[in-house]
Amino acid sequence: MFKKAAAFFLSGIFALSLVGCSGGGKDNPGQNKKFKIGVLTGTVSQNEEEYRAAEKMKKKYGDMIVLQTYPDNFTKEQETTIANALSLAADPDVKAIVFVQAVPGASAAIDKVREKRKDMLFIAGVPGEDPDMIASKADIVLQADELGMGTTIIEQAKKLGAKKFVHYSFPRHMSYQMLAMRRDILKDTCSKLGLEFVDATAPDPTGDAGVPGAQQFILEDVPRKVKELGKDTAFFSTNCAMQEPLIKAVLQEGAIFPQQCCPSPYHGYPGALGISIPDDKKGDLEYIVKEESRIIAEKGGKGRFSTWPVPINMMFVEGGVEYAKAYLEGNTKERNDKAKLEEIFTNISKKPIKLTTLDDEKTKKKLDNFYMLLSEYITF
């Protein structure tokens, strides 16, 4: 009841703030002399990578950036996610919201904001809802090419010496269309390349045991799996909070780790390897990769661990902010400008980035605002 009351209270504040404002209609982006960009991410405990990227944008642009988070238990607290989006939109100077990750409840939050602010630009990264649903709500959707990963993860695992592949997930994630489709592709690719596919169910971090319970399960289950399946087993989990314990346990057991759910040198590796990044090295990708390579080699894991060279979720936050800024300054052709997105992501990653759009298998629709990105690997 309290959460509902809080949501209604924030909605009331939001409505009052719009009195006398031009809430309807579309702004001419070139006319937005004064604007702010809202950034909505997870907390440090669930998604530190995205949160730190948001802080980086805040440091770069100051008061232009307004930060907000969604709750750790976002599945059960969707009203709070909606209320937090409304709190961003309550400031009439906020003209765009970058939502990473676009967890369940994001579509409802966008709807609520647009009831009063039809002009709001929404960029949704890493969606947790069906592609057709979120693409119909947000102006732009950004996601790593989950379906492409169904092939590349197994190809990489085999290159690293894997004979078996363990896929950790739980029913909530397997209800997500893209993750379920990827799981099927992973299984098919294992069959084609001669790897044994092992489906493993882990606790949901949003369940009763929370993140600590899910992490403890991984630390205890990986040794059991390696004892049963052997060291030439690759491990993968669909959940962000599980990456650190998974990397740690896999390294200790001498097994194989092709990539994280959200591949990046920053995701899970520093914590698992005990790396403390000095202030003068934060954001220094070359430094962190060298440190990770050194420690993995020292612990006997050389040639059996890899990831993408691009911190993908951080790039979605940074690229989303830069795109929103370009749009609000009138430097894009329209709300959905693929060429501008590619230009921005190429500048951030320092290497060519090609975006592909999604054809929704479920609805048979071509989603021209749903962009997917795939990268090559670096092996430690």
Side-chain angles (χ1 to χ4, degrees):
M1 287 297 292
F2 173 76
K3 290 171 188 166
K4 288 185 178 180
F8 286 133
F9 176 71
L10 281 168
S11 298
I13 293 174
F14 172 72
L16 286 172
S17 73
L18 293 170
V19 175
C21 298
S22 55
K26 292 183 179 179
D27 287 346
N28 178 349
Q31 296 301 313
N32 282 325
K33 303 295 184 184
K34 179 183 179 184
F35 62 81
K36 297 177 185 176
I37 299 168
V39 183
L40 186 58
T41 71
T43 65
V44 171
S45 62
Q46 262 282 23
N47 302 104
E48 182 173 1
E49 201 170 75
E50 292 114 58
Y51 185 83
R52 298 304 181 200
E55 286 188 326
K56 179 180 176 181
M57 291 293 97
K58 176 74 172 176
K59 185 176 180 180
K60 181 176 182 179
Y61 291 119
D63 291 342
M64 181 195 298
I65 306 300
V66 184
L67 305 184
Q68 183 57 273
T69 60
Y70 54 79
D72 285 349
N73 197 353
F74 48 81
T75 301
K76 295 180 180 178
E77 298 180 31
Q78 292 187 25
E79 289 170 356
T80 305
T81 299
I82 293 169
N84 291 354
L86 286 169
S87 72
L88 285 173
D91 182 345
D93 287 337
V94 172
K95 305 291 185 182
I97 294 176
V98 180
F99 204 143
V100 182
Q101 298 179 22
V103 294
S107 290
I110 294 171
D111 279 344
K112 285 294 184 183
V113 169
R114 284 198 166 139
E115 284 177 8
K116 298 292 184 179
R117 296 287 302 279
K118 297 185 189 302
D119 63 316
M120 186 70 74
L121 179 77
F122 270 98
I123 298 171
V126 198
E129 298 171 315
D130 282 354
D132 185 53
M133 168 70 81
I134 190 66
S136 70
K137 307 297 183 182
D139 295 284
I140 287 173
V141 183
L142 302 168
Q143 182 161 349
D145 189 347
E146 304 287 357
L147 302 185
M149 283 186 205
T151 300
T152 60
I153 290 172
I154 303 304
E155 290 175 342
Q156 178 66 6
K158 185 169 184 177
K159 285 180 184 177
L160 300 180
K163 297 175 182 175
K164 298 174 183 179
F165 181 83
V166 174
H167 180 271
Y168 283 115
S169 194
F170 35 85
R172 176 173 62 84
H173 266 192
M174 289 297 93
S175 72
Y176 295 176
Q177 182 185 349
M178 292 285 281
L179 297 187
M181 289 169 67
R182 184 184 64 191
R183 179 246 179 221
D184 292 342
I185 297 170
L186 287 165
K187 187 175 182 180
D188 290 344
T189 308
C190 277
S191 178
K192 289 175 184 175
L193 297 183
L195 277 71
E196 179 184 340
F197 181 88
V198 179
D199 229 341
T201 301
D204 189 332
T206 67
D208 293 339
V211 170
Q215 292 177 332
Q216 187 61 35
F217 170 82
I218 293 295
L219 289 171
E220 294 173 359
D221 194 63
V222 168
R224 289 193 292 261
K225 288 284 191 296
V226 173
K227 186 176 181 180
E228 174 192 351
L229 303 170
K231 292 186 177 183
D232 289 337
T233 301
F235 288 83
F236 177 79
S237 168
T238 63
N239 176 255
C240 289
M242 293 180 185
Q243 301 309 305
E244 185 174 318
L246 186 58
I247 293 168
K248 185 176 183 179
V250 170
L251 183 58
Q252 287 176 345
E253 298 301 317
I256 294 167
F257 187 79
Q259 73 164 69
Q260 313 95 315
C261 56
C262 308
S264 159
Y266 291 107
H267 192 34
Y269 273 111
L273 301 177
I275 297 172
S276 179
I277 305 174
D279 288 340
D280 65 332
K281 296 294 184 181
K282 287 182 179 176
D284 187 336
L285 200 58
E286 184 178 352
Y287 169 81
I288 194 66
V289 169
K290 282 183 178 178
E291 280 296 287
E292 289 165 354
S293 295
R294 178 182 65 80
I295 295 171
I296 287 171
E298 287 176 356
K299 293 181 179 293
K302 184 177 180 180
R304 292 168 76 83
F305 287 74
S306 56
T307 188
W308 287 9
V310 180
I312 191 73
N313 286 16
M314 294 180 79
M315 191 166 75
F316 287 158
V317 173
E318 295 176 29
V321 168
E322 297 294 353
Y323 183 86
K325 180 174 179 287
Y327 171 76
L328 295 169
E329 291 176 342
N331 294 323
T332 58
K333 295 177 182 177
E334 53 197 10
R335 293 171 84 89
N336 176 17
D337 186 339
K338 182 180 179 182
K340 177 57 74 172
L341 274 172
E342 286 185 332
E343 174 191 322
I344 287 170
F345 285 134
T346 296
N347 287 339
I348 293 171
S349 67
K350 304 294 191 295
K351 57 185 63 184
I353 293 293
K354 186 174 181 181
L355 301 173
T356 56
T357 52
L358 176 68
D359 293 336
D360 192 333
E361 294 283 337
K362 186 176 180 181
T363 63
K364 305 302 179 185
K365 290 182 181 178
K366 196 173 189 68
L367 305 178
D368 64 357
N369 67 331
F370 195 112
Y371 295 101
M372 301 184 299
L373 185 150
L374 198 62
S375 172
E376 295 179 353
Y377 286 92
I378 53 172
T379 300
F380 297 112

